[in-house]
Amino acid sequence: MSPSGQAAGPQALPLLVPTSGAVLVGSFELRLGTRFDWHLHPVHQLAWAATGVLAVTTPDGTWVLPTNRALWLPAGIGHSTAAIGSAVMRSLYLDPAVCPPGWATRWSRPTVVAASPLLRELIPYLGQEALAPQARARAEAVVFDLLEPLPVTTLAVPSPRDPRTRAIAVALAADPADPRTLRDWGRQVGASERTLARLFRAETGLPFGRWRTQLRIQAALPLLAHGSAVSAVARRIGYESVSAFVAAFRAAVGLPPGQYFGRVTE
């Protein structure tokens, strides 16, 4: 088990953890396919990928985190974490009792924050076992000052339950660029366009067109995170123009692709 109580997979490698102080540091080497299944912590967590890309899922949806983004997870929030490709996850685990006044109210939901250069240096610094108590206390105080929320929304792609809509969802997950309409799909799965539209809205809370857009943007995130060109990603997930893809990405995530995956300003 890790210091946070998180079940660690076979590739989990513990970093040196402080024996005192309010912040623990956990480090996990995640190979392709490594996943921490659904769990929660009695402490707050700041999940960050020192290398690679993480995907963190909560009841609200999924966040894809390149190295310039981290995710604040309040204590008690269920979540799962997976590596997209290979990654090194370094997380801070923070005692709720020592958070600044009002912190629990202002940070009560999962929140994406900027992993600034200073924050990225502080995380391994706090992982030093021999760090003096006074130095540790000063560094821990700075961590709270560096947590800067970003205007990024999560991507929720609910799975439909009906066998007919589920078959469509599986096919589109395998090929997000598939251009077929609900009328086209209806001929394949044996249902009318109207029936499928009603089922998608009832089962996912989204009209089919918006659901498919969310699915496409979710498929684009790991490709962009690994450096694929925006134009290539747009074509791969079914957009005929880069501008249409960028507009859809901004509408879904809150930022254009270049800003989401760009360098964090110091």
Side-chain angles (χ1 to χ4, degrees):
M1 300 291 286
S2 76
S4 64
Q6 182 179 37
Q11 289 80 39
L13 302 176
L15 188 68
L16 292 175
V17 174
T19 56
S20 63
V23 177
L24 303 180
V25 180
S27 184
F28 308 91
E29 183 177 323
L30 307 179
R31 299 177 183 173
L32 176 64
T34 302
R35 178 184 184 87
F36 294 115
D37 290 329
W38 202 259
H39 62 283
L40 53 82
H41 310 290
V43 295
H44 303 313
Q45 179 183 1
L46 185 71
W48 171 62
T51 63
V53 182
L54 298 178
V56 180
T57 299
T58 76
D60 292 334
T62 298
W63 285 267
V64 175
L65 305 171
T67 57
N68 64 349
R69 301 281 182 257
L71 183 66
W72 172 268
L73 290 161
I77 296 292
H79 60 282
S80 63
T81 305
I84 298 176
S86 59
V88 172
M89 179 176 74
R90 285 187 177 167
S91 287
L92 295 182
Y93 300 96
L94 304 97
D95 184 350
V98 300
C99 290
W103 194 267
T105 300
R106 290 184 289 111
W107 293 80
S108 62
R109 300 194 64 81
T111 304
V112 175
V113 302
S116 66
L118 180 54
L119 181 59
R120 298 199 296 263
E121 291 296 327
L122 269 178
I123 291 174
Y125 177 77
L126 284 167
Q128 298 178 81
E129 186 176 17
L131 192 61
Q134 290 183 338
R136 181 176 303 285
R138 290 192 296 268
E140 289 176 352
V142 173
V143 166
F144 291 104
D145 291 336
L146 293 178
L147 297 185
E148 175 190 351
L150 293 174
V152 175
T153 58
T154 184
L155 276 176
V157 187
S159 298
R161 300 179 300 277
D162 186 278
R164 294 163 293 182
T165 50
R166 180 61 180 164
I168 297 171
V170 170
L172 288 174
D175 181 14
D178 192 319
R180 280 180 283 183
T181 66
L182 279 184
R183 179 175 296 180
D184 298 328
W185 284 112
R187 299 188 187 101
Q188 179 171 329
V189 301
S192 69
E193 178 182 9
R194 183 176 179 179
T195 295
L196 292 176
R198 176 179 55 80
L199 286 171
F200 262 100
R201 186 179 289 275
E203 295 177 346
T204 70
L206 300 171
F208 174 70
R210 185 177 172 191
W211 180 90
R212 180 164 60 181
T213 296
Q214 295 284 88
L215 178 77
R216 286 176 168 178
I217 300 303
Q218 188 177 78
L221 284 167
L223 300 174
L224 293 167
H226 283 294
S228 297
V230 172
S231 58
V233 173
R235 289 192 302 270
R236 183 167 176 177
I237 64 171
Y239 284 89
E240 294 183 357
S241 72
V242 172
S243 59
F245 167 62
V246 170
F249 190 99
R250 182 194 288 269
V253 177
L255 297 171
Q259 189 173 345
Y260 187 87
F261 290 99
R263 292 180 60 83
V264 175
T265 302
E266 296 189 48

